[in-house]
Amino acid sequence: MTLALLLYARSRVLPATLAALTGIALVAVWAAWWLQAQPRFDHTARVPVVVLAPLLAAGVIGTGLYTHSDELDRTAVRPWWPRRLVHLLVLTGLAAALLALAVPGRPDEFGAPAMTRNLLGATGVAAVSAALLGARLSWLPITVYLSAVYLSAPEQPGGAAAFWAWPMQPGPQAGAWVTAVAAYGVGAVVYAGRGARPERR
């Protein structure tokens, strides 16, 4: 069993994925601390950290969904969807825990809840992208979307923007949570069912 887990981890480049997620979390801790140390700091100054760190983590998770043995996965006797689902859930849970610790305080604004929500939504989009475009390009759609939202989101939270501009909303916004959780649910189902799109080497 241990050997099987080690082989699985190597085939899915899990050590590199975990190292990258840890590095992103450490950079997010530094950035959040630096912003808090500025004399004109308020809760909105952490928006770049709350948007960018989940984007980077989702890109790492999406890229980490690549498999070198997609032919073996499709012809296996046992279905692979439970393994793929657990794989995605474990990486998401670990990234959420690490990033939530990077922004302590003010949970009602741009703190741990907003960071966790943004990670869920971004990872869901990356998972769908891995299934449709391939794991190596899974970071592209969410990067384009978050960049557009970051530049166009209204200053006042709530309203219809809570649904389409969910990454820029404070933590308690229910509409933003609905959209992000729905995106993650769709991404998890699509990826678990289909796996990452096979790519030519």
Side-chain angles (χ1 to χ4, degrees), residues 24-25 28 48-58 99 115 119:
I24 291 168
V49 178
V50 172
V51 173
L52 186 58
L55 170 62
L56 294 175
L99 293 182
M115 182 76 91
L119 175 75

Side-chain angles (χ1 to χ4, degrees), residues 46 68 75 133 142 188:
R46 285 196 291 195
H68 294 278
T75 58
L133 302 176
I142 189 59

